[in-house]
Amino acid sequence: MPIAKLRAALLPLAACLLLISGADAQSPAAQAPAPAVQPPVVHSSPPVETVVLVPPKDPPVPLLWKVSDADNAVYLLGSFHLLKPDDYPLSSDVNKAFADSKSLVFELGPDEMTSPQLGLRMAQAAMRLDGKTLDSELSPELRAKLKAWIDANQSSLQQIGMPPQALQRFEPWYVGLLITLIEMNKYGLDAKLGLDQHFIAAAAAAKKPASGLETADEQIAFLDGMNGDEQLQFLDESISEANEGNKEIEDMHTAWRAADEAKLWDEMAAEMKQEYPRLYQRINVARNDTWVPKIEAMLSAPGTDDKLVVVGTLHLLGSDGVVEKLRAKGYTVERICSVCKTQGAAPKKKSRQR
């Protein structure tokens, strides 16, 4: 289903913003009650080099590039925004890139990501102001599918303090993301263990400055900008994937761990680019085009300090990705993968560009 790729592409953007840990159905917001949604919680942790959770047999090898000019470099690391405890420690390449970098840059700066108002702002953006319920917008079939999912996930909704009736106050995109995040938690993936949160904590522990490429309001606008049909498809597919056991989530996580660039391109971007060009342009290409000059400014800044830029993997893939855009501008771009060299194999390439 094409929309499954869209869901995979939107999730990394949302996972940084939508980590719900409580709700208050009585608090007023924008003429309608809104749950009090808490922002992501950053685990306190030691620097990356000494993080010890449950060591995996084969450490994850996230996609990592080094972009250089005459005097300094920027590392580009592909993030998976929800991870498992045994996804740490990471590969030595990633840890070395962190150690070499004097500062870090994320999609959203840590100050905004940890703001107590962040989750509430997202909830308010998704709040229905038309006086109607979510069910009134759904077909009888989709309404029945949503009810069945809610009935089967009462305990999960209770754990985050979200009464089922509160879902009726939100637009479909928000409910679809909530369903997706709950299902990913069932698979064992946790936003608090995501790569962004890991490196935000690591940067704080190592006293390394950290900043963002864009603002929370910009990120929320990308999600809230889906039209009505896209939102309904997104909700429908989120429920369908949940009913099918979330094989896509497992496949995507496995591909990220293995740095399978070809599969990640196919699963996260190629079909979305073909079937949903408007969304692909707004969510991926337009943001990449905004980020590239900012990364160029990092490279051209005085001094020799290197930086580590951690963004969703989608943004680094394909001809529209940040990596190829910087290569096209004449920078030296090197894929960092010691495991690939040890095994005598070149890093995997993207399989096709549509």
Side-chain angles (χ1 to χ4, degrees), residues 17 21 26 39 52 61 95 125 142 160 210 218 281 285-286 299 333:
L17 300 173
S21 60
Q26 303 305 316
V52 178
V61 187
N95 292 337
L142 182 52
I160 63 171
E218 289 171 330
Q281 179 70 30
V285 179
L299 290 164
V333 180

Side-chain angles (χ1 to χ4, degrees), residues 67-73 299-301 303-304 306 330-332:
V67 183
S68 308
D69 65 1
D71 54 5
N72 62 359
L299 290 164
S300 62
T304 59
D306 296 339
Y331 294 99
T332 299

Side-chain angles (χ1 to χ4, degrees), residues 313-335:
T313 301
L314 168 68
H315 297 285
L316 304 180
L317 302 175
S319 60
D320 297 319
V322 171
V323 171
E324 291 304 321
K325 287 179 181 291
L326 289 169
R327 195 194 305 275
K329 288 179 174 289
Y331 294 99
T332 299
V333 180
E334 175 190 5
R335 168 78 187 282

Side-chain angles (χ1 to χ4, degrees), residues 41-263:
V41 177
V42 179
H43 280 330
S44 297
S45 64
V48 168
E49 294 88 343
T50 60
V51 168
V52 178
L53 295 172
V54 181
K57 180 179 179 181
D58 299 308
V61 187
L63 288 168
L64 176 67
W65 286 267
K66 184 178 183 179
V67 183
S68 308
D69 65 1
D71 54 5
N72 62 359
V74 170
Y75 295 96
L76 300 175
L77 177 62
S79 177
F80 204 90
H81 297 270
L82 295 91
L83 289 174
K84 299 182 177 184
D86 63 4
D87 285 323
Y88 296 96
L90 300 164
S91 70
S92 60
D93 290 331
V94 175
N95 292 337
K96 288 175 182 176
F98 173 81
D100 185 47
S101 298
K102 301 301 182 183
S103 60
L104 284 80
V105 181
F106 301 91
E107 292 183 26
L108 189 65
D111 288 345
E112 279 203 293
M113 195 179 296
T114 57
S115 167
Q117 298 301 314
L118 179 57
L120 181 58
R121 285 159 62 189
M122 172 171 267
Q124 289 174 332
M127 185 64 59
R128 303 185 68 91
L129 301 177
D130 56 7
K132 300 179 181 178
T133 64
L134 174 63
D135 277 350
S136 69
E137 193 175 352
L138 309 183
S139 67
E141 180 183 5
L142 182 52
R143 196 180 308 136
K145 288 174 64 174
L146 177 60
K147 182 179 184 304
W149 183 88
I150 290 172
D151 289 345
N153 289 274
Q154 293 280 354
S155 61
S156 296
L157 291 168
Q158 184 177 5
Q159 286 175 6
I160 63 171
M162 176 68 75
Q165 63 271 22
L167 297 177
Q168 294 296 322
R169 302 165 183 157
F170 293 105
E171 295 178 0
W173 66 264
Y174 188 93
V175 178
L177 286 173
L178 176 62
I179 290 171
T180 296
L181 290 171
I182 287 176
E183 293 297 328
M184 292 189 82
N185 284 334
K186 289 180 184 178
Y187 176 63
L189 293 167
D190 187 346
K192 293 189 293 292
L193 295 176
L195 205 65
D196 311 80
Q197 300 287 9
H198 172 76
F199 278 113
I200 285 173
K207 294 182 169 48
K208 296 188 178 188
S211 58
L213 289 166
E214 56 196 15
T215 68
D217 287 339
E218 289 171 330
Q219 289 208 349
I220 292 171
F222 293 130
L223 292 165
D224 198 34
M226 283 190 285
N227 66 37
D229 289 341
E230 290 165 345
Q231 290 194 42
L232 292 175
Q233 286 179 301
F234 184 80
L235 174 59
D236 192 359
E237 184 65 18
S238 297
I239 300 171
S240 295
E241 290 291 329
N243 293 338
E244 293 169 8
N246 286 295
K247 184 179 185 300
E248 179 187 304
I249 293 173
E250 182 178 359
D251 289 346
M252 293 296 297
H253 179 236
T254 299
W256 176 83
R257 283 183 59 99
D260 190 339
E261 190 176 350
K263 186 173 181 62

